[in-house]
Amino acid sequence: MAVSVARMGVLLGLFVGIAMVGFVSSAKFDELFQPSWAFDHFMYEGELLKLKLDNFSGAGFQSKSKYLFGKVTVQIKLVEGDSAGTVTAFYMSSDGPTHNEFDFEFLGNTTGEPYLVQTNVYVNGVGNREQRLNLWFDPTKEFHSYSIMWNQRQVVFLVDETPIRVHTNLEHKGIPFPKDQAMGVYSSIWNADDWATQGGLVKTDWTHAPFIASYRGFEIDACECPVPVASADNVKKCSSSAERRFWWDEPTMSELSVHQSHQLLWVRANHMVYDYCSDNSRFPVTPVECEHHRHQ
């Protein structure tokens, strides 16, 4: 009994610690998010949210707060059928010209062709770090979870908890890493037929509109940052110290587990179709971070 009581005390202490530092975790859209444009293109069906794209407008939403470190997740069922020219995006971003950003962009395609998932990382306003892969399932038939996990050591993109990309902190090699700007969480659907499908060769067929992306399972398990607050104060608040320990600062979160590393290797070997690190025409000199990321 003493062991059980002690364990309960530890769990209670963890819960109180979490409550004190402003974690948020919820499955309800309106607790965490709000529409940001085209309110009339939102459809609510209980816990389900649908965003509509037609030839008048797309739609988008954003988190009510900004966060520094943690994990954000949403379950999405992508546009069914002929989705060529459309893009559904789920991403995190800070504000300003030197912003940081972590992107999932789902690039539609003609019926029967696989969706491509493009990820990108912006650091201090500079992106051009695209990777593209096809998924190992049909993302239009069922809901699947898409997550971004972020701490001071790495950014991990996950699909159904399988890592598909890791961006590691290489500041010791003089490469900037996004760790001091609080970020909002966003999603949107829009027409991008100038580039999204086969480089813009395949245009959106509006006879198939409206295009519907469905969402559920909104979760944010991260450090909430009041706005406006100096970035240094946010970093201090959201970093572990002698008084408190955040889960994202635990040693096990500083790098992938052996199992996750094997999963990432499998994804890269079987599903990656484009990696900026291998694009010699765009980058005659290989970007410095690629040498490290190639060996992960």
Side-chain angles (χ1 to χ4, degrees):
M1 179 62 72
V3 173
S4 298
V5 170
R7 185 174 296 166
M8 287 175 62
V10 170
L11 291 173
L12 180 60
L14 285 171
F15 175 79
V16 171
I18 288 173
M20 288 175 61
V21 298
F23 286 110
V24 183
S25 183
S26 174
K28 294 185 181 297
F29 171 80
D30 57 3
E31 290 179 10
L32 299 174
F33 295 94
Q34 60 195 13
S36 49
W37 53 287
F39 292 21
D40 61 343
H41 282 53
F42 283 68
M43 296 175 286
Y44 301 92
E45 300 176 5
E47 296 295 307
L48 197 64
L49 169 68
K50 294 183 176 181
L51 295 191
K52 179 173 69 173
L53 167 66
D54 56 27
N55 53 359
F56 296 102
S57 179
F61 61 81
Q62 65 188 59
S63 59
K64 295 179 179 180
S65 298
K66 293 192 185 318
Y67 305 90
L68 190 68
F69 310 133
K71 184 178 181 181
V72 301
T73 299
V74 68
Q75 295 177 29
I76 308 174
K77 184 164 67 171
L78 294 169
V79 177
E80 292 190 62
D82 185 351
S83 57
T86 71
V87 172
T88 305
F90 170 55
Y91 61 103
M92 298 184 72
S93 182
S94 57
D95 299 325
T98 58
H99 74 292
N100 298 328
E101 186 175 329
F102 314 137
D103 296 335
F104 274 106
E105 291 179 312
F106 304 95
L107 313 181
N109 222 321
T110 53
T111 304
E113 294 291 320
Y115 255 85
L116 290 180
V117 180
Q118 176 169 286
T119 58
N120 202 354
V121 176
Y122 284 74
V123 184
N124 297 334
V126 179
N128 297 324
R129 297 181 177 91
E130 298 91 347
Q131 291 182 357
R132 290 187 182 185
L133 55 91
N134 54 53
L135 293 167
W136 49 95
F137 52 82
D138 184 342
T140 72
K141 298 303 183 188
E142 303 288 344
F143 284 91
H144 293 269
S145 66
Y146 304 94
S147 306
I148 299 167
M149 196 288 293
W150 174 34
N151 59 28
Q152 297 186 63
R153 301 290 298 275
Q154 60 180 357
V155 181
V156 185
F157 294 78
L158 303 119
V159 175
D160 291 335
E161 294 303 307
T162 296
I164 65 166
R165 179 173 186 169
V166 177
H167 186 82
T168 305
N169 186 336
L170 298 174
E171 288 179 307
H172 64 284
K173 296 184 179 292
I175 300 170
F177 182 80
K179 66 174 190 178
D180 59 357
Q181 298 182 38
M183 304 173 84
V185 186
Y186 303 85
S187 188
S188 57
I189 182 171
W190 79 94
N191 177 44
D193 66 4
D194 57 331
W195 66 272
T197 305
Q198 297 181 33
L201 295 177
V202 182
K203 302 300 183 183
T204 303
D205 184 349
W206 294 109
T207 64
H208 294 152
F211 303 99
I212 306 293
S214 303
Y215 298 79
R216 70 182 187 190
F218 303 91
E219 296 184 22
I220 298 178
D221 187 358
C223 186
E224 187 173 357
C225 296
V227 180
V229 171
S231 60
D233 292 334
N234 280 332
V235 172
K236 184 177 179 181
K237 176 191 176 204
C238 297
S239 301
S240 294
S241 64
E243 295 80 33
R244 60 193 175 196
R245 186 79 178 182
F246 297 131
W247 66 263
W248 53 80
D249 287 330
E250 293 294 334
T252 53
M253 303 305 295
S254 65
E255 59 184 10
L256 297 185
S257 68
V258 172
H259 175 62
Q260 288 176 318
S261 296
H262 290 160
Q263 288 179 312
L264 180 61
L265 286 171
W266 175 80
V267 169
R268 292 181 63 90
N270 294 283
H271 295 280
M272 181 168 286
V273 296
Y274 175 81
D275 183 1
Y276 77 105
C277 287
S278 304
D279 191 336
N280 296 327
S281 60
R282 285 180 67 197
F283 303 100
V285 178
T286 303
V288 181
E289 72 266 20
C290 294
E291 286 304 318
H292 178 84
H293 291 149
R294 182 174 292 141
H295 301 298
Q296 289 188 324

